[in-house]
Each structure stands twice: as structure tokens, then as C-alpha cells.
Amino acid sequence: CRRARQLLGWSPEQLSERLGGHPSVSAIRNFERGWIRLIPDSAAAVRAEFEDAGIEFDPDGEEVRCSKQ
């Protein structure tokens, strides 16, 4: 999540805002720290938002790259 945000130049606040506040900024930060897991619906929304912005994930979800400039 952090790497995808960095590629796009988004803060946790911007990501949360783009998703209508769900997940919250604190949930995004805690997820990126490895302290929590996002609920499946939130995780899917985050991934979809990144993909809509041009982020491509490898099959295991570990590597990301930005296809849009």
C-alpha cells in the first residue's frame, strides 16, 4: 500500500479521501505498519483505486509499478 501511494504521490489522507473516508487515515497507517489487516471490502476498494490510477500489481501482490505518468 505504501509503495503504491508513493508511486502516485498520495498521502494516507489523500487515499482515504479518494475512498470516501473508508478506510480511515489511521486504518491505512496501521495497515502499512503491519498492525492490522483491512477488511476484505476495504482492501478491494484500495486495490481498485490504485489500479484505476494506473498501478499494476504482480500476481502475488508484492511488487507494484505505475503504468500511467
Short mmCIF file of all heavy atoms in Angstrom, two decimals:
data_model
loop_
_atom_site.label_atom_id
_atom_site.label_comp_id
_atom_site.label_asym_id
_atom_site.label_seq_id
_atom_site.Cartn_x
_atom_site.Cartn_y
_atom_site.Cartn_z
N CYS A 1 0.83 -1.19 0.00
CA CYS A 1 0.00 0.00 0.00
C CYS A 1 0.88 1.25 0.00
O CYS A 1 0.65 2.17 -0.78
CB CYS A 1 -0.92 -0.05 1.21
SG CYS A 1 -2.14 1.26 1.30
N ARG A 2 1.88 1.28 0.87
CA ARG A 2 2.75 2.45 0.95
C ARG A 2 3.48 2.68 -0.36
O ARG A 2 3.57 3.81 -0.86
CB ARG A 2 3.75 2.29 2.09
CG ARG A 2 4.65 3.51 2.24
CD ARG A 2 5.61 3.37 3.40
NE ARG A 2 4.87 3.39 4.65
CZ ARG A 2 5.02 2.47 5.62
NH1 ARG A 2 5.85 1.47 5.48
NH2 ARG A 2 4.31 2.54 6.72
N ARG A 3 4.02 1.61 -0.97
CA ARG A 3 4.76 1.75 -2.21
C ARG A 3 3.85 2.28 -3.33
O ARG A 3 4.25 3.16 -4.09
CB ARG A 3 5.38 0.41 -2.62
CG ARG A 3 6.13 0.45 -3.91
CD ARG A 3 7.42 1.23 -3.79
NE ARG A 3 8.09 1.21 -5.07
CZ ARG A 3 8.56 2.27 -5.68
NH1 ARG A 3 8.48 3.45 -5.12
NH2 ARG A 3 9.15 2.18 -6.85
N ALA A 4 2.65 1.78 -3.43
CA ALA A 4 1.72 2.26 -4.45
C ALA A 4 1.40 3.73 -4.22
O ALA A 4 1.37 4.52 -5.17
CB ALA A 4 0.45 1.42 -4.44
N ARG A 5 1.17 4.12 -2.98
CA ARG A 5 0.90 5.52 -2.67
C ARG A 5 2.07 6.39 -3.07
O ARG A 5 1.90 7.47 -3.65
CB ARG A 5 0.64 5.72 -1.18
CG ARG A 5 -0.71 5.41 -0.70
CD ARG A 5 -0.99 5.93 0.71
NE ARG A 5 0.03 5.67 1.71
CZ ARG A 5 1.02 6.48 2.04
NH1 ARG A 5 1.15 7.66 1.45
NH2 ARG A 5 1.90 6.15 2.98
N GLN A 6 3.29 5.93 -2.75
CA GLN A 6 4.48 6.71 -3.08
C GLN A 6 4.62 6.89 -4.59
O GLN A 6 4.99 7.98 -5.05
CB GLN A 6 5.72 6.04 -2.51
CG GLN A 6 5.80 6.11 -1.00
CD GLN A 6 6.91 5.27 -0.42
OE1 GLN A 6 7.40 4.34 -1.05
NE2 GLN A 6 7.31 5.59 0.80
N LEU A 7 4.35 5.85 -5.34
CA LEU A 7 4.44 5.96 -6.79
C LEU A 7 3.47 7.01 -7.34
O LEU A 7 3.76 7.68 -8.33
CB LEU A 7 4.16 4.60 -7.46
CG LEU A 7 5.28 3.57 -7.37
CD1 LEU A 7 4.79 2.21 -7.83
CD2 LEU A 7 6.48 4.02 -8.20
N LEU A 8 2.33 7.13 -6.70
CA LEU A 8 1.31 8.08 -7.13
C LEU A 8 1.48 9.46 -6.50
O LEU A 8 0.82 10.42 -6.91
CB LEU A 8 -0.08 7.54 -6.83
CG LEU A 8 -0.47 6.28 -7.59
CD1 LEU A 8 -1.72 5.66 -6.99
CD2 LEU A 8 -0.65 6.59 -9.07
N GLY A 9 2.31 9.55 -5.48
CA GLY A 9 2.48 10.81 -4.77
C GLY A 9 1.34 11.15 -3.84
O GLY A 9 1.07 12.32 -3.57
N TRP A 10 0.64 10.12 -3.35
CA TRP A 10 -0.50 10.32 -2.47
C TRP A 10 -0.11 10.12 -1.02
O TRP A 10 0.66 9.22 -0.67
CB TRP A 10 -1.60 9.31 -2.77
CG TRP A 10 -2.25 9.40 -4.11
CD1 TRP A 10 -2.06 10.37 -5.06
CD2 TRP A 10 -3.18 8.48 -4.66
NE1 TRP A 10 -2.83 10.10 -6.16
CE2 TRP A 10 -3.53 8.94 -5.95
CE3 TRP A 10 -3.76 7.30 -4.20
CZ2 TRP A 10 -4.43 8.28 -6.76
CZ3 TRP A 10 -4.65 6.64 -5.01
CH2 TRP A 10 -4.98 7.13 -6.27
N SER A 11 -0.69 10.92 -0.15
CA SER A 11 -0.55 10.74 1.30
C SER A 11 -1.63 9.77 1.77
O SER A 11 -2.60 9.51 1.04
CB SER A 11 -0.73 12.08 2.01
OG SER A 11 -2.07 12.52 1.87
N PRO A 12 -1.52 9.26 3.01
CA PRO A 12 -2.61 8.45 3.55
C PRO A 12 -3.93 9.23 3.58
O PRO A 12 -4.99 8.67 3.33
CB PRO A 12 -2.15 8.09 4.97
CG PRO A 12 -0.66 8.16 4.90
CD PRO A 12 -0.36 9.27 3.93
N GLU A 13 -3.83 10.52 3.85
CA GLU A 13 -5.03 11.35 3.88
C GLU A 13 -5.69 11.42 2.50
O GLU A 13 -6.92 11.33 2.40
CB GLU A 13 -4.68 12.77 4.36
CG GLU A 13 -4.25 12.84 5.81
CD GLU A 13 -2.78 12.51 6.05
OE1 GLU A 13 -2.01 12.28 5.09
OE2 GLU A 13 -2.39 12.46 7.24
N GLN A 14 -4.87 11.58 1.47
CA GLN A 14 -5.42 11.65 0.11
C GLN A 14 -6.07 10.34 -0.30
O GLN A 14 -7.13 10.34 -0.92
CB GLN A 14 -4.32 12.04 -0.88
CG GLN A 14 -3.87 13.48 -0.74
CD GLN A 14 -2.62 13.76 -1.54
OE1 GLN A 14 -1.64 13.02 -1.45
NE2 GLN A 14 -2.65 14.82 -2.32
N LEU A 15 -5.43 9.22 0.04
CA LEU A 15 -6.00 7.93 -0.30
C LEU A 15 -7.34 7.74 0.40
O LEU A 15 -8.34 7.36 -0.23
CB LEU A 15 -5.05 6.79 0.06
CG LEU A 15 -5.58 5.37 -0.16
CD1 LEU A 15 -6.00 5.15 -1.60
CD2 LEU A 15 -4.54 4.35 0.28
N SER A 16 -7.38 8.02 1.68
CA SER A 16 -8.64 7.87 2.43
C SER A 16 -9.72 8.78 1.85
O SER A 16 -10.88 8.35 1.69
CB SER A 16 -8.41 8.19 3.91
OG SER A 16 -9.62 8.05 4.63
N GLU A 17 -9.36 10.01 1.52
CA GLU A 17 -10.33 10.94 0.94
C GLU A 17 -10.87 10.42 -0.39
O GLU A 17 -12.07 10.49 -0.65
CB GLU A 17 -9.68 12.30 0.74
CG GLU A 17 -10.63 13.36 0.23
CD GLU A 17 -9.96 14.72 0.10
OE1 GLU A 17 -9.29 15.13 1.06
OE2 GLU A 17 -10.11 15.34 -0.95
N ARG A 18 -10.00 9.87 -1.22
CA ARG A 18 -10.42 9.34 -2.52
C ARG A 18 -11.40 8.18 -2.34
O ARG A 18 -12.21 7.90 -3.21
CB ARG A 18 -9.21 8.88 -3.33
CG ARG A 18 -8.32 10.01 -3.78
CD ARG A 18 -7.10 9.49 -4.51
NE ARG A 18 -7.48 9.01 -5.82
CZ ARG A 18 -7.45 9.74 -6.93
NH1 ARG A 18 -7.06 11.00 -6.88
NH2 ARG A 18 -7.79 9.22 -8.09
N LEU A 19 -11.31 7.50 -1.20
CA LEU A 19 -12.17 6.35 -0.92
C LEU A 19 -13.36 6.72 -0.03
O LEU A 19 -14.02 5.85 0.51
CB LEU A 19 -11.34 5.24 -0.26
CG LEU A 19 -10.27 4.64 -1.16
CD1 LEU A 19 -9.27 3.83 -0.35
CD2 LEU A 19 -10.91 3.77 -2.23
N GLY A 20 -13.61 8.00 0.12
CA GLY A 20 -14.75 8.44 0.92
C GLY A 20 -14.58 8.24 2.41
O GLY A 20 -15.56 8.15 3.14
N GLY A 21 -13.33 8.16 2.85
CA GLY A 21 -13.06 8.02 4.29
C GLY A 21 -13.06 6.60 4.81
O GLY A 21 -12.91 6.37 6.01
N HIS A 22 -13.23 5.62 3.93
CA HIS A 22 -13.25 4.21 4.35
C HIS A 22 -12.31 3.42 3.45
O HIS A 22 -12.63 3.23 2.27
CB HIS A 22 -14.66 3.63 4.26
CG HIS A 22 -15.63 4.34 5.14
ND1 HIS A 22 -15.66 4.19 6.51
CD2 HIS A 22 -16.59 5.25 4.85
CE1 HIS A 22 -16.60 4.96 7.01
NE2 HIS A 22 -17.19 5.61 6.02
N PRO A 23 -11.17 2.98 3.93
CA PRO A 23 -10.73 3.02 5.32
C PRO A 23 -10.27 4.41 5.74
O PRO A 23 -9.95 5.25 4.90
CB PRO A 23 -9.57 2.02 5.36
CG PRO A 23 -9.04 1.99 3.97
CD PRO A 23 -10.21 2.27 3.07
N SER A 24 -10.21 4.59 7.05
CA SER A 24 -9.79 5.87 7.61
C SER A 24 -8.29 6.05 7.44
O SER A 24 -7.56 5.10 7.14
CB SER A 24 -10.15 5.92 9.10
OG SER A 24 -9.36 4.96 9.80
N VAL A 25 -7.83 7.26 7.68
CA VAL A 25 -6.39 7.55 7.62
C VAL A 25 -5.65 6.68 8.62
O VAL A 25 -4.61 6.09 8.29
CB VAL A 25 -6.13 9.05 7.88
CG1 VAL A 25 -4.64 9.32 7.98
CG2 VAL A 25 -6.77 9.90 6.79
N SER A 26 -6.16 6.58 9.84
CA SER A 26 -5.47 5.77 10.85
C SER A 26 -5.46 4.30 10.47
O SER A 26 -4.45 3.61 10.70
CB SER A 26 -6.09 5.97 12.24
OG SER A 26 -7.44 5.57 12.25
N ALA A 27 -6.52 3.80 9.85
CA ALA A 27 -6.53 2.40 9.41
C ALA A 27 -5.48 2.17 8.31
O ALA A 27 -4.78 1.16 8.33
CB ALA A 27 -7.91 2.01 8.91
N ILE A 28 -5.36 3.12 7.39
CA ILE A 28 -4.35 3.00 6.34
C ILE A 28 -2.96 2.98 6.95
O ILE A 28 -2.13 2.13 6.61
CB ILE A 28 -4.49 4.14 5.31
CG1 ILE A 28 -5.80 3.96 4.51
CG2 ILE A 28 -3.28 4.19 4.37
CD1 ILE A 28 -6.19 5.16 3.68
N ARG A 29 -2.70 3.91 7.86
CA ARG A 29 -1.38 3.95 8.51
C ARG A 29 -1.10 2.67 9.29
O ARG A 29 0.00 2.13 9.23
CB ARG A 29 -1.29 5.17 9.42
CG ARG A 29 -1.17 6.45 8.66
CD ARG A 29 -0.95 7.61 9.59
NE ARG A 29 -0.74 8.82 8.82
CZ ARG A 29 -1.27 10.00 9.13
NH1 ARG A 29 -2.03 10.13 10.20
NH2 ARG A 29 -1.03 11.04 8.37
N ASN A 30 -2.08 2.20 10.05
CA ASN A 30 -1.88 0.98 10.84
C ASN A 30 -1.70 -0.24 9.95
O ASN A 30 -0.90 -1.12 10.26
CB ASN A 30 -3.04 0.78 11.81
CG ASN A 30 -3.03 1.79 12.93
OD1 ASN A 30 -1.98 2.36 13.26
ND2 ASN A 30 -4.18 2.04 13.52
N PHE A 31 -2.40 -0.29 8.82
CA PHE A 31 -2.22 -1.38 7.87
C PHE A 31 -0.80 -1.36 7.31
O PHE A 31 -0.12 -2.38 7.22
CB PHE A 31 -3.24 -1.26 6.74
CG PHE A 31 -3.00 -2.22 5.62
CD1 PHE A 31 -3.25 -3.58 5.78
CD2 PHE A 31 -2.50 -1.78 4.41
CE1 PHE A 31 -3.01 -4.48 4.75
CE2 PHE A 31 -2.27 -2.67 3.37
CZ PHE A 31 -2.52 -4.02 3.54
N GLU A 32 -0.33 -0.17 6.92
CA GLU A 32 1.01 -0.06 6.36
C GLU A 32 2.09 -0.41 7.37
O GLU A 32 3.17 -0.88 6.99
CB GLU A 32 1.23 1.35 5.81
CG GLU A 32 0.41 1.61 4.57
CD GLU A 32 0.58 3.00 3.98
OE1 GLU A 32 1.15 3.90 4.67
OE2 GLU A 32 0.15 3.19 2.85
N ARG A 33 1.82 -0.23 8.64
CA ARG A 33 2.77 -0.60 9.69
C ARG A 33 2.70 -2.09 10.02
O ARG A 33 3.52 -2.59 10.79
CB ARG A 33 2.48 0.21 10.96
CG ARG A 33 2.78 1.66 10.83
CD ARG A 33 2.40 2.41 12.09
NE ARG A 33 2.70 3.82 11.96
CZ ARG A 33 1.85 4.80 12.27
NH1 ARG A 33 0.64 4.53 12.73
NH2 ARG A 33 2.21 6.06 12.12
N GLY A 34 1.71 -2.76 9.46
CA GLY A 34 1.54 -4.18 9.75
C GLY A 34 0.82 -4.46 11.04
O GLY A 34 0.81 -5.60 11.52
N TRP A 35 0.17 -3.46 11.59
CA TRP A 35 -0.51 -3.62 12.86
C TRP A 35 -1.91 -4.19 12.72
O TRP A 35 -2.44 -4.78 13.68
CB TRP A 35 -0.60 -2.28 13.60
CG TRP A 35 0.73 -1.73 14.01
CD1 TRP A 35 1.95 -2.35 13.95
CD2 TRP A 35 0.99 -0.43 14.53
NE1 TRP A 35 2.93 -1.53 14.39
CE2 TRP A 35 2.38 -0.33 14.77
CE3 TRP A 35 0.18 0.65 14.83
CZ2 TRP A 35 2.97 0.81 15.29
CZ3 TRP A 35 0.78 1.79 15.34
CH2 TRP A 35 2.16 1.86 15.57
N ILE A 36 -2.53 -3.99 11.58
CA ILE A 36 -3.89 -4.50 11.35
C ILE A 36 -4.00 -5.05 9.93
O ILE A 36 -3.13 -4.78 9.10
CB ILE A 36 -4.98 -3.42 11.56
CG1 ILE A 36 -4.85 -2.32 10.47
CG2 ILE A 36 -4.96 -2.86 12.97
CD1 ILE A 36 -6.06 -1.39 10.38
N ARG A 37 -5.07 -5.76 9.69
CA ARG A 37 -5.44 -6.16 8.33
C ARG A 37 -6.71 -5.40 7.98
O ARG A 37 -7.57 -5.20 8.84
CB ARG A 37 -5.70 -7.66 8.27
CG ARG A 37 -4.46 -8.49 8.58
CD ARG A 37 -4.76 -9.93 8.44
NE ARG A 37 -4.71 -10.21 7.00
CZ ARG A 37 -4.41 -11.39 6.50
NH1 ARG A 37 -4.17 -12.40 7.30
NH2 ARG A 37 -4.37 -11.56 5.20
N LEU A 38 -6.80 -4.99 6.73
CA LEU A 38 -8.03 -4.33 6.30
C LEU A 38 -9.10 -5.38 6.06
O LEU A 38 -8.80 -6.50 5.66
CB LEU A 38 -7.79 -3.57 4.99
CG LEU A 38 -6.81 -2.40 5.05
CD1 LEU A 38 -6.62 -1.80 3.65
CD2 LEU A 38 -7.29 -1.33 6.02
N ILE A 39 -10.35 -5.01 6.31
CA ILE A 39 -11.44 -5.93 5.99
C ILE A 39 -11.45 -6.12 4.48
O ILE A 39 -11.01 -5.25 3.72
CB ILE A 39 -12.80 -5.44 6.54
CG1 ILE A 39 -13.19 -4.10 5.91
CG2 ILE A 39 -12.79 -5.36 8.05
CD1 ILE A 39 -14.61 -3.68 6.23
N PRO A 40 -11.92 -7.26 4.01
CA PRO A 40 -11.86 -7.54 2.57
C PRO A 40 -12.44 -6.46 1.66
O PRO A 40 -11.86 -6.13 0.63
CB PRO A 40 -12.62 -8.86 2.44
CG PRO A 40 -12.40 -9.53 3.76
CD PRO A 40 -12.44 -8.40 4.77
N ASP A 41 -13.57 -5.88 2.04
CA ASP A 41 -14.17 -4.83 1.20
C ASP A 41 -13.26 -3.60 1.10
O ASP A 41 -13.13 -3.00 0.03
CB ASP A 41 -15.54 -4.41 1.74
CG ASP A 41 -16.61 -5.46 1.51
OD1 ASP A 41 -16.39 -6.40 0.72
OD2 ASP A 41 -17.68 -5.32 2.13
N SER A 42 -12.64 -3.23 2.21
CA SER A 42 -11.72 -2.08 2.20
C SER A 42 -10.48 -2.38 1.39
O SER A 42 -10.01 -1.54 0.61
CB SER A 42 -11.33 -1.68 3.62
OG SER A 42 -12.43 -1.14 4.31
N ALA A 43 -9.93 -3.57 1.56
CA ALA A 43 -8.74 -3.96 0.80
C ALA A 43 -9.03 -3.95 -0.70
O ALA A 43 -8.22 -3.46 -1.50
CB ALA A 43 -8.26 -5.34 1.24
N ALA A 44 -10.19 -4.45 -1.09
CA ALA A 44 -10.57 -4.46 -2.50
C ALA A 44 -10.75 -3.04 -3.03
O ALA A 44 -10.36 -2.74 -4.17
CB ALA A 44 -11.86 -5.27 -2.70
N ALA A 45 -11.32 -2.16 -2.22
CA ALA A 45 -11.51 -0.77 -2.64
C ALA A 45 -10.18 -0.06 -2.82
O ALA A 45 -9.99 0.69 -3.79
CB ALA A 45 -12.39 -0.03 -1.63
N VAL A 46 -9.24 -0.30 -1.91
CA VAL A 46 -7.91 0.29 -2.02
C VAL A 46 -7.23 -0.19 -3.29
O VAL A 46 -6.70 0.61 -4.07
CB VAL A 46 -7.06 -0.03 -0.77
CG1 VAL A 46 -5.60 0.33 -0.99
CG2 VAL A 46 -7.60 0.70 0.46
N ARG A 47 -7.25 -1.48 -3.51
CA ARG A 47 -6.61 -2.03 -4.71
C ARG A 47 -7.25 -1.47 -5.99
O ARG A 47 -6.55 -1.08 -6.92
CB ARG A 47 -6.67 -3.55 -4.70
CG ARG A 47 -5.94 -4.15 -5.88
CD ARG A 47 -5.90 -5.65 -5.85
NE ARG A 47 -5.19 -6.15 -7.00
CZ ARG A 47 -4.18 -7.00 -6.95
NH1 ARG A 47 -3.78 -7.47 -5.80
NH2 ARG A 47 -3.58 -7.38 -8.05
N ALA A 48 -8.57 -1.40 -6.02
CA ALA A 48 -9.26 -0.87 -7.20
C ALA A 48 -8.90 0.59 -7.44
O ALA A 48 -8.70 1.00 -8.60
CB ALA A 48 -10.78 -1.04 -7.04
N GLU A 49 -8.80 1.37 -6.38
CA GLU A 49 -8.43 2.78 -6.52
C GLU A 49 -7.02 2.91 -7.10
O GLU A 49 -6.76 3.72 -7.99
CB GLU A 49 -8.51 3.49 -5.17
CG GLU A 49 -8.33 4.99 -5.26
CD GLU A 49 -9.44 5.71 -5.99
OE1 GLU A 49 -10.59 5.24 -6.00
OE2 GLU A 49 -9.15 6.77 -6.58
N PHE A 50 -6.10 2.09 -6.60
CA PHE A 50 -4.74 2.10 -7.13
C PHE A 50 -4.72 1.67 -8.60
O PHE A 50 -4.05 2.29 -9.43
CB PHE A 50 -3.83 1.17 -6.33
CG PHE A 50 -3.42 1.71 -4.99
CD1 PHE A 50 -3.23 0.85 -3.92
CD2 PHE A 50 -3.20 3.07 -4.77
CE1 PHE A 50 -2.82 1.32 -2.68
CE2 PHE A 50 -2.80 3.55 -3.53
CZ PHE A 50 -2.61 2.68 -2.48
N GLU A 51 -5.44 0.62 -8.93
CA GLU A 51 -5.47 0.14 -10.32
C GLU A 51 -6.09 1.19 -11.24
O GLU A 51 -5.59 1.40 -12.36
CB GLU A 51 -6.19 -1.19 -10.40
CG GLU A 51 -5.39 -2.32 -9.80
CD GLU A 51 -6.13 -3.64 -9.71
OE1 GLU A 51 -7.38 -3.65 -9.79
OE2 GLU A 51 -5.44 -4.67 -9.56
N ASP A 52 -7.14 1.86 -10.79
CA ASP A 52 -7.75 2.92 -11.60
C ASP A 52 -6.78 4.07 -11.85
O ASP A 52 -6.86 4.75 -12.87
CB ASP A 52 -9.01 3.47 -10.93
CG ASP A 52 -10.18 2.52 -10.98
OD1 ASP A 52 -10.12 1.52 -11.74
OD2 ASP A 52 -11.17 2.77 -10.26
N ALA A 53 -5.84 4.27 -10.92
CA ALA A 53 -4.85 5.34 -11.05
C ALA A 53 -3.63 4.90 -11.84
O ALA A 53 -2.71 5.69 -12.04
CB ALA A 53 -4.43 5.82 -9.67
N GLY A 54 -3.60 3.62 -12.27
CA GLY A 54 -2.50 3.15 -13.11
C GLY A 54 -1.50 2.25 -12.43
O GLY A 54 -0.48 1.90 -13.03
N ILE A 55 -1.76 1.86 -11.20
CA ILE A 55 -0.85 0.94 -10.50
C ILE A 55 -1.13 -0.48 -10.97
O ILE A 55 -2.29 -0.88 -11.08
CB ILE A 55 -1.03 1.03 -8.97
CG1 ILE A 55 -0.61 2.42 -8.47
CG2 ILE A 55 -0.26 -0.07 -8.25
CD1 ILE A 55 0.86 2.74 -8.62
N GLU A 56 -0.08 -1.21 -11.26
CA GLU A 56 -0.19 -2.61 -11.64
C GLU A 56 0.49 -3.45 -10.57
O GLU A 56 1.60 -3.15 -10.14
CB GLU A 56 0.48 -2.86 -12.99
CG GLU A 56 -0.21 -2.12 -14.12
CD GLU A 56 0.49 -2.27 -15.46
OE1 GLU A 56 1.58 -2.89 -15.51
OE2 GLU A 56 -0.04 -1.76 -16.45
N PHE A 57 -0.18 -4.51 -10.14
CA PHE A 57 0.34 -5.42 -9.12
C PHE A 57 0.76 -6.72 -9.79
O PHE A 57 0.10 -7.18 -10.72
CB PHE A 57 -0.76 -5.75 -8.09
CG PHE A 57 -1.20 -4.56 -7.28
CD1 PHE A 57 -2.22 -3.74 -7.73
CD2 PHE A 57 -0.61 -4.28 -6.07
CE1 PHE A 57 -2.64 -2.65 -6.99
CE2 PHE A 57 -1.02 -3.18 -5.32
CZ PHE A 57 -2.03 -2.37 -5.78
N ASP A 58 1.86 -7.31 -9.30
CA ASP A 58 2.20 -8.63 -9.81
C ASP A 58 1.22 -9.63 -9.17
O ASP A 58 0.47 -9.28 -8.26
CB ASP A 58 3.66 -8.99 -9.56
CG ASP A 58 4.01 -9.23 -8.10
OD1 ASP A 58 3.14 -9.10 -7.23
OD2 ASP A 58 5.17 -9.54 -7.82
N PRO A 59 1.18 -10.87 -9.66
CA PRO A 59 0.17 -11.83 -9.18
C PRO A 59 0.15 -12.05 -7.67
O PRO A 59 -0.92 -12.25 -7.11
CB PRO A 59 0.53 -13.12 -9.92
CG PRO A 59 1.19 -12.65 -11.17
CD PRO A 59 1.95 -11.42 -10.77
N ASP A 60 1.30 -11.98 -7.00
CA ASP A 60 1.28 -12.19 -5.55
C ASP A 60 1.06 -10.90 -4.77
O ASP A 60 0.98 -10.91 -3.55
CB ASP A 60 2.55 -12.91 -5.08
CG ASP A 60 3.81 -12.10 -5.30
OD1 ASP A 60 3.72 -10.92 -5.65
OD2 ASP A 60 4.90 -12.67 -5.11
N GLY A 61 0.95 -9.77 -5.49
CA GLY A 61 0.65 -8.50 -4.84
C GLY A 61 1.83 -7.85 -4.15
O GLY A 61 1.67 -6.83 -3.49
N GLU A 62 3.02 -8.41 -4.29
CA GLU A 62 4.19 -7.87 -3.61
C GLU A 62 4.86 -6.73 -4.35
O GLU A 62 5.37 -5.80 -3.74
CB GLU A 62 5.22 -8.99 -3.37
CG GLU A 62 4.75 -10.06 -2.40
CD GLU A 62 4.49 -9.51 -1.02
OE1 GLU A 62 5.28 -8.70 -0.52
OE2 GLU A 62 3.48 -9.91 -0.41
N GLU A 63 4.88 -6.77 -5.65
CA GLU A 63 5.54 -5.74 -6.45
C GLU A 63 4.49 -4.87 -7.12
O GLU A 63 3.44 -5.36 -7.55
CB GLU A 63 6.42 -6.38 -7.52
CG GLU A 63 7.56 -7.21 -6.96
CD GLU A 63 8.60 -6.36 -6.25
OE1 GLU A 63 8.89 -5.24 -6.71
OE2 GLU A 63 9.11 -6.80 -5.21
N VAL A 64 4.78 -3.59 -7.20
CA VAL A 64 3.88 -2.66 -7.88
C VAL A 64 4.67 -1.79 -8.84
O VAL A 64 5.86 -1.58 -8.67
CB VAL A 64 3.12 -1.74 -6.87
CG1 VAL A 64 2.24 -2.55 -5.95
CG2 VAL A 64 4.07 -0.87 -6.09
N ARG A 65 3.99 -1.33 -9.87
CA ARG A 65 4.57 -0.35 -10.77
C ARG A 65 3.44 0.53 -11.29
O ARG A 65 2.27 0.15 -11.26
CB ARG A 65 5.31 -1.00 -11.92
CG ARG A 65 4.43 -1.78 -12.83
CD ARG A 65 5.22 -2.49 -13.90
NE ARG A 65 4.29 -3.36 -14.59
CZ ARG A 65 4.35 -3.63 -15.86
NH1 ARG A 65 5.31 -3.16 -16.58
NH2 ARG A 65 3.47 -4.42 -16.41
N CYS A 66 3.81 1.70 -11.74
CA CYS A 66 2.82 2.66 -12.23
C CYS A 66 2.89 2.68 -13.74
O CYS A 66 3.95 2.96 -14.31
CB CYS A 66 3.09 4.04 -11.64
SG CYS A 66 1.80 5.22 -12.00
N SER A 67 1.78 2.39 -14.40
CA SER A 67 1.75 2.35 -15.84
C SER A 67 1.38 3.69 -16.46
O SER A 67 1.55 3.90 -17.64
CB SER A 67 0.76 1.28 -16.33
OG SER A 67 -0.56 1.63 -15.94
N LYS A 68 0.87 4.62 -15.65
CA LYS A 68 0.50 5.95 -16.14
C LYS A 68 1.50 6.97 -15.60
O LYS A 68 1.97 6.86 -14.48
CB LYS A 68 -0.90 6.33 -15.65
CG LYS A 68 -1.99 5.46 -16.22
CD LYS A 68 -3.33 5.91 -15.70
CE LYS A 68 -4.43 5.00 -16.19
NZ LYS A 68 -5.73 5.34 -15.64
N GLN A 69 1.78 7.94 -16.38
CA GLN A 69 2.69 9.01 -15.95
C GLN A 69 1.95 10.31 -15.85
O GLN A 69 1.08 10.61 -16.52
CB GLN A 69 3.87 9.13 -16.90
CG GLN A 69 4.73 7.91 -16.91
CD GLN A 69 5.37 7.58 -15.57
OE1 GLN A 69 5.73 8.48 -14.81
NE2 GLN A 69 5.48 6.33 -15.23
#
